Amino acid sequence: MRLLFLHNNFPGQYARIIKHLTGRKGIDILAVSRAGNRQPSPVRRIDYEPHRSVCEQVHPALRYTEEAVIRGQAVYKALAPTRAKGWRPDLMLAHSGFGDGLFLKDLWPDARYMPYLEWYYRAYGSDASFFDEGAKDPNVELRIRMKNTAILQDLAAMDWGQSPTRYQKWQFPSVFHERMSVLHDGVDTDYFTPDPRETFTIGSRIFRRGDPLVTYIARGMEPYRGFPQFIEAVVLLQQMHAGVHVVVIGEDRIAYGPKDKASYKQWALEAFSPDLARLHFLGRQPLSVLRQVLRVSAAHVYLTVPFVLSWSMMEAMAAGALIVGSDTEPVREVVDDGRTGLLVPFFEPRRLAERLLEAIAAPERFEDIRRRARVLMLERYDQRELCARYVRLIEAVATGGRPRPDGGDPVSESARMPEAAIV
């Protein structure tokens, strides 16, 4: 079986399945990524480079679409020599939305296509209206709707689609749901494990399990991940508890959402004036440091608007950390308040601070929640089981069968049933 994977930052969301498939007999894998991607690739990779940037004169609502077309064109050119040599994939998998997979069906019309469907943009009812539910400027509405153009091309071309969570799948138009599976990327529960002996050092101070240490991890420091609310809660918590320390891992940038400020970190520090002697910004860190911090953490904060769910929250649960998360749809899909974590309203920093104070004041009260969170990751999100399901899904789509909800043998094309599959 020949598989073609496309991701502008390969392996990206395909990291776990690529690792699972690499070296397996009878599987030939080719990857495509944007030039300049320095992540190591365990499989043969072809790089592409767009020939130009988006034109300044293009309609603002079409900028995202033009960029996707330029990328898709670059992918087409990069793969044309491979097609000329006679290589043909059985299944093509691409992260949807950036344009990488736009013209794959033009290269190989008979090959099956399964995009990774991460997000469908809506002006109302999810992330874009979370901070302001009022009517938007019509130009904003147009831009948000048109961001789906490349995604809609993928939806029209796909033989089957994959979305990592139920909430993310529900954002897509219902007409496509019958050809979409919910399949998460999985959590490395062998790596992210609890260890009561773990320590974490900041300067001359050594933290151990049970110490008043609060953690926060995100790609960027931005409103989409509740960074302003978090810093406000930190200030309140510092006033409530003289010994609490807080660790922030992530970059001073905006990864998701509008770029209204150059630095939300600087803005938050000026707006709320936290005690920086007890607030530690560690920047971007390797997984080994994340694991250390999560094992020692008395409470791990995860806030998000209704949007894509972060791997870090589930890795924290696997490591035995106590999640104190936002009571928003993507978090509620995984965290059961009071059983596998604690939920607080997104816009109530004082409530967040109070829950954090409870967690650090009496950590023994929350041991059962930590344990159940770990069990949940093992039972529903362990990468070994999900990779095995992923392989069955790949085989089913590649051979023209219909994926089964239980991951069993595919049904023949002629016997397809109308209901959607959740793998």
Side-chain angles (χ1 to χ4, degrees):
M1 180 167 56
R2 290 179 170 179
L3 302 176
L4 176 65
F5 286 88
L6 296 95
H7 195 294
N8 66 340
N9 194 35
F10 183 83
Q13 282 84 352
Y14 295 123
R16 292 164 178 79
I17 189 60
I18 287 291
K19 183 178 179 181
H20 186 78
L21 290 172
T22 299
R24 288 180 61 137
K25 186 177 179 180
I27 296 182
D28 178 18
I29 301 176
L30 174 62
V32 177
S33 189
R34 185 162 183 172
N37 175 12
R38 292 185 173 85
Q39 295 198 67
S41 175
V43 299
R44 182 165 59 104
R45 192 178 97 184
I46 294 174
D47 289 349
Y48 71 88
E49 184 60 51
H51 70 285
R52 67 172 177 86
S53 301
V54 176
C55 178
E56 289 296 326
Q57 287 73 40
V58 73
H59 191 289
L62 291 174
R63 292 182 64 84
Y64 196 82
T65 302
E66 185 182 25
E67 183 177 17
V69 171
I70 293 170
R71 285 193 184 192
Q73 181 186 34
V75 169
Y76 187 103
K77 290 180 177 179
L79 282 172
T82 300
R83 180 184 63 174
K85 293 176 183 177
W87 193 87
R88 176 194 177 279
D90 296 296
L91 180 64
M92 306 176 292
L93 303 95
H95 186 242
S96 182
F98 296 101
D100 301 51
L102 271 180
F103 307 116
L104 292 179
K105 282 285 191 176
D106 298 289
L107 281 163
W108 291 287
D110 297 328
R112 303 282 174 174
Y113 182 40
M114 186 170 72
Y116 185 101
L117 302 168
E118 188 171 44
W119 192 246
Y120 191 86
Y121 298 94
R122 296 176 179 273
Y124 303 100
S126 60
D127 62 315
S129 60
F130 187 69
F131 294 106
D132 182 4
E133 297 180 351
K136 298 184 180 302
D137 183 300
N139 291 315
V140 174
E141 293 177 329
L142 290 175
R143 285 197 298 271
I144 293 174
R145 180 173 294 278
M146 292 304 294
K147 283 188 75 171
N148 292 314
T149 302
I151 298 170
L152 285 166
Q153 288 288 342
D154 280 341
L155 290 165
M158 73 181 185
D159 295 277
W160 201 263
Q162 171 202 356
S163 195
T165 68
R166 291 192 301 274
Y167 176 71
Q168 286 166 253
K169 174 182 175 178
W170 292 338
Q171 301 311 302
F172 289 83
S174 59
V175 67
F176 298 107
H177 287 184
E178 292 182 355
R179 288 186 292 133
M180 292 174 63
S181 290
V182 173
L183 179 60
H184 194 268
D185 317 322
V187 178
D188 188 345
T189 57
D190 288 335
Y191 186 80
F192 287 98
T193 59
D195 186 348
R197 301 164 299 176
E198 185 69 85
T199 62
F200 185 71
T201 302
I202 303 176
S204 60
R205 179 169 183 134
I206 300 176
F207 291 92
R208 296 176 173 83
R209 182 75 173 268
D211 288 341
L213 181 68
V214 172
T215 55
Y216 175 97
I217 298 172
R219 290 177 64 187
M221 302 175 193
E222 59 210 357
Y224 260 46
R225 299 308 190 195
F227 183 75
Q229 288 76 17
F230 167 69
I231 294 298
E232 185 174 354
V234 166
V235 173
L236 295 170
L237 181 62
Q238 288 178 337
Q239 295 168 359
M240 298 172 182
H241 193 293
V244 67
H245 283 256
V246 180
V247 166
V248 177
I249 293 179
E251 296 178 300
D252 183 13
R253 69 186 183 99
I254 300 171
Y256 300 111
K259 295 176 172 57
D260 298 330
K261 300 184 187 299
S263 169
Y264 273 95
K265 174 185 176 182
Q266 191 60 39
W267 173 84
L269 294 181
E270 293 175 357
F272 302 114
S273 300
D275 177 2
L276 294 180
R278 294 187 286 151
L279 175 57
H280 313 279
F281 291 94
L282 304 187
R284 187 174 181 177
Q285 294 290 332
L287 288 179
S288 59
V289 174
L290 268 62
R291 183 175 65 174
Q292 275 186 291
V293 168
L294 292 171
R295 283 172 167 176
V296 175
S297 173
H300 180 70
V301 177
Y302 179 74
L303 307 177
T304 184
V305 304
F307 189 56
V308 172
L309 190 66
S310 303
W311 291 333
S312 63
M313 186 194 82
M314 302 170 83
E315 291 168 345
M317 296 173 74
L322 173 66
I323 296 295
V324 183
S326 58
D327 191 8
T328 48
E329 292 94 329
V331 180
R332 285 199 299 267
E333 182 172 334
V334 178
V335 176
D336 184 1
D337 187 27
R339 285 193 53 79
T340 55
L342 304 175
L343 300 182
V344 296
F346 184 96
F347 293 108
E348 295 186 19
R350 179 165 291 281
R351 182 59 179 147
L352 173 57
E354 290 169 349
R355 297 247 71 175
L356 292 174
L357 181 62
E358 293 175 25
I360 63 178
E364 67 281 355
R365 288 178 47 203
F366 303 95
E367 285 302 315
D368 283 346
I369 293 180
R370 293 173 180 266
R371 178 185 55 79
R372 285 191 291 263
R374 165 77 180 170
V375 170
L376 177 67
M377 294 300 105
L378 290 169
E379 292 180 346
R380 284 177 47 189
Y381 295 101
D382 183 82
Q383 69 171 359
R384 286 165 298 192
E385 173 60 24
L386 293 188
C387 281
R389 294 184 185 183
Y390 208 155
V391 171
R392 292 193 289 267
L393 177 63
I394 286 172
E395 291 173 342
V397 178
T399 57
R402 179 191 183 279
R404 286 182 181 274
D406 61 2
D409 295 333
V411 179
S412 67
E413 180 75 15
S414 61
R416 283 193 170 187
M417 302 295 288
E419 65 269 20
I422 296 182
V423 178

